[in-house]
Amino acid sequence: MKFSLKLVLSIIVIMACILSCSRFFIIRQSFRHSIEKSANQNSNQNIVQRYYIESNIVNNIQRGEEITNENVIEYIKSLYSYLGDNSEKIALYDEKENIIFSNFEKMKDMNINTLLLKEVDNYYIRNVEDRYYMLFSSYLTINNNVIYIINIYDITYLYEERDSQMKEVLFVDFIILSIASIFIVIFSAILTRHIKKLNITSKRIAEGEYSNRVNIKSKDEIGELANSFNIMSVEIEDKINSLNLSLKQKDDFINGFTHEIKTPMTAIIGYSDMLRLKKCDEELTKTALNYIYSEAKRLETLSYKLMNLMSLSENNIELEYIDIDNFINKVSSKITTLGNVTIKNSLTPAKVKGDKNLLEVVIRNLVENAKKSEPKDNLVLIMRRNYGGKKI
């Protein structure tokens, strides 16, 4: 899953949780407030009704009338007839939980055991057939008999109002989240575009395009990351170029050294083969052995130089002043692969600072390369030329 999508989903989930929890808390508190308000109103009404009933009973007692359950029922009927409210229901029970009177047909479906107590100002909520009722319990003592009065109020409208609010809130939250999601997707794309650039550039560098850089101008953490990324890219490119150059130099050195080994090996093999196959006079034998010895020594010297150049030996290459005219003449006389090509030296006497063995390798390569180009009159001329005001 892409980072931008994770960012969008995370923000949407967080918003949904915050909105849901906050709205649920508000609706819950509002619903509780409505229940308490309704309970206070119904409690006050219940007190007034009980007071009315008790007043009538006290008046009848003072007149000497006999108070029976039938009289109480008549008082209650007259009370509700006077109030004219058919929505309020009432039920009367005796101490043995036997019903005396009820104008509520669903009273049998309610659990009233907790209601028949000698306590006042308590209410209970019951759910019967998807309707909610608030029940208040009070009692009267008539002729040493206790009569429980249970007032029943339909408060289904409060639950319907709560459910309606929940539906409206869910719809509004859905609209809010939908609109917010669009903006979040846009902002996420804007915020992560630099990360995409970094990703694309890193892939290109991984594919070998080391000169790629990210052009991100920002003062935040992503800008710092992009700057660090570019610095790292420069370092990687420099390292790769250095490694490639080192590898090329190594290949060139190996090829050159291989060529240098072939030259003395050719002379050694040629002269040793001549001595092996045919009888030679003493002078020719001595000349051949001298060539074999000198070329073998040169080969040995080259191997030591190779070790020095490859840092396999702690000996440093020591430079010395060399008489270039005499040195070139000696080197020319040692070259045995020229055939009928003549070397002519037109250099003026001079001294140069260098390594004799390596300088000999250079002169041999130049002379042999000149021979390969088939020089005119079979003459290889070693002379001094002027380059840019400098004599070489």
Side-chain angles (χ1 to χ4, degrees), residues 221-266:
E221 290 81 359
I222 295 180
E224 294 178 359
L225 176 62
N227 186 42
S228 300
F229 183 86
N230 286 336
I231 294 173
M232 179 189 69
S233 301
V234 171
E235 293 295 329
I236 291 175
E237 185 178 11
D238 291 342
K239 292 293 183 183
I240 295 297
N241 292 335
S242 177
L243 290 174
N244 289 334
L245 179 60
S246 176
L247 183 61
K248 184 178 182 301
Q249 290 175 343
K250 181 180 178 181
D251 291 339
D252 293 342
F253 178 79
I254 292 175
N255 293 332
F257 188 75
T258 302
H259 179 266
E260 293 304 319
I261 289 177
K262 286 181 180 179
T263 302
M265 289 299 293
T266 301

Side-chain angles (χ1 to χ4, degrees), residues 188-320:
S188 175
I190 294 174
L191 292 174
T192 58
R193 70 185 189 278
H194 295 319
I195 298 178
K196 291 180 180 178
K197 289 182 179 179
L198 284 169
N199 186 32
I200 293 172
T201 304
S202 62
K203 287 181 178 179
R204 289 178 178 174
I205 291 176
E207 292 172 355
E209 300 179 16
Y210 302 109
S211 60
N212 272 274
R213 302 290 182 269
V214 288
N215 185 17
I216 297 176
K217 296 181 180 179
S218 178
K219 297 182 179 180
D220 55 9
E221 290 81 359
I222 295 180
E224 294 178 359
L225 176 62
N227 186 42
S228 300
F229 183 86
N230 286 336
I231 294 173
M232 179 189 69
S233 301
V234 171
E235 293 295 329
I236 291 175
E237 185 178 11
D238 291 342
K239 292 293 183 183
I240 295 297
N241 292 335
S242 177
L243 290 174
N244 289 334
L245 179 60
S246 176
L247 183 61
K248 184 178 182 301
Q249 290 175 343
K250 181 180 178 181
D251 291 339
D252 293 342
F253 178 79
I254 292 175
N255 293 332
F257 188 75
T258 302
H259 179 266
E260 293 304 319
I261 289 177
K262 286 181 180 179
T263 302
M265 289 299 293
T266 301
I268 292 172
I269 294 172
Y271 281 110
S272 61
D273 190 54
M274 180 184 68
L275 295 175
R276 183 176 63 87
L277 295 178
K278 62 180 181 178
K279 293 182 179 181
C280 301
D281 55 26
E282 184 179 352
E283 184 178 355
L284 181 59
T285 300
K286 185 178 180 180
T287 302
L289 290 175
N290 286 335
Y291 273 114
I292 291 173
Y293 177 78
S294 62
E295 293 302 315
K297 291 296 290 184
R298 193 165 75 88
L299 188 60
E300 181 186 27
T301 304
L302 285 175
S303 65
Y304 289 143
K305 293 298 179 183
L306 175 63
M307 293 177 65
N308 288 330
L309 292 174
M310 296 182 68
S311 300
L312 297 177
S313 174
E314 296 181 355
N315 298 324
N316 297 323
I317 298 176
E318 295 182 0
L319 302 180
E320 58 181 313

Side-chain angles (χ1 to χ4, degrees), residues 137-199:
S137 175
S138 59
Y139 70 95
L140 297 173
T141 302
I142 302 173
N143 298 330
N144 295 324
N145 294 323
V146 176
I147 297 178
Y148 292 99
I149 304 173
I150 299 177
N151 295 88
I152 306 159
Y153 303 93
D154 191 346
I155 59 171
T156 305
Y157 70 95
L158 294 177
Y159 287 85
E160 291 176 346
E161 183 179 355
R162 182 196 65 179
D163 295 340
S164 176
Q165 288 177 350
M166 288 295 295
K167 292 179 181 178
E168 291 178 359
V169 165
L170 289 175
F171 178 75
V172 172
D173 288 349
F174 176 77
I175 298 298
I176 292 174
L177 288 175
S178 299
I179 297 174
S181 298
I182 296 174
F183 286 100
I184 291 172
V185 170
I186 295 173
F187 291 141
S188 175
I190 294 174
L191 292 174
T192 58
R193 70 185 189 278
H194 295 319
I195 298 178
K196 291 180 180 178
K197 289 182 179 179
L198 284 169
N199 186 32

